[in-house]
Amino acid sequence: MTDNDVAGLQRRLAEFAAARDWQPYHTPKNLAAALSVEAAELLEIFQWLTPEQAERVMDDSGSAHRVADEVADVLAYLLQFCEVLGVDPLAALAAKIDRNEVRFPVRRRGDGDEEGGSTADRHSSE
């Protein structure tokens, strides 16, 4: 285990919070709320960009730094949330991908559905 694998990062985050006596505030509800806020801050960077501008956001060092910081904040709160609830995030993701592969089988245009199928089955986060 290194400091940069999931378990190592979770340990570092727990140690950081413990050193500041923040554990009482790291409840599932508070961590979920903080995760939502940080995800919204990431979204805010892209809010008024065109799709083309959004694709080039990492070309500018200032916006690239903001994106990386917000990604780090989202990941930090997600890892802390998982730690508090005992969720293995990599196992949860692997299981979700497995379920989605069954739920959303590969369909090619022309396989009997109109123009690639309905939009109802295009999102894997459901």
Side-chain angles (χ1 to χ4, degrees):
M1 174 173 50
T2 69
D3 281 349
N4 288 330
D5 62 14
V6 172
L9 292 170
Q10 285 177 310
R11 179 184 48 75
R12 288 180 63 193
L13 289 165
E15 289 171 357
F16 183 89
R20 290 152 181 82
D21 296 321
W22 289 352
Q23 307 98 314
Y25 308 105
H26 285 195
T27 64
K29 180 193 77 69
N30 288 350
L31 291 169
L35 174 59
S36 176
V37 169
E38 294 301 339
E41 289 179 8
L42 177 61
L43 176 59
E44 183 180 31
I45 297 167
F46 296 88
Q47 183 174 8
W48 303 112
L49 300 182
T50 65
E52 296 77 18
Q53 290 169 322
E55 289 175 7
R56 295 188 311 270
V57 75
M58 299 305 283
D59 294 345
D60 174 72
S61 63
S63 61
H65 179 74
R66 289 180 58 214
V67 168
D69 272 357
E70 296 307 335
V71 167
D73 289 342
V74 168
L75 184 56
Y77 280 117
L78 179 60
L79 291 178
Q80 290 173 91
F81 179 81
C82 289
E83 180 70 17
V84 165
L85 290 180
V87 173
D88 177 337
L90 298 182
L93 178 56
K96 181 68 174 187
I97 293 169
D98 290 344
R99 287 191 305 276
N100 283 342
E101 287 174 339
V102 171
R103 186 173 173 202
F104 304 108
V106 175
R107 293 189 191 143
R108 305 282 182 224
R109 287 184 190 233
D111 286 348
D113 53 335
E114 299 175 20
E115 293 299 313
S118 74
T119 59
D121 65 353
R122 291 188 184 163
H123 302 285
S124 64
S125 62
E126 299 173 352

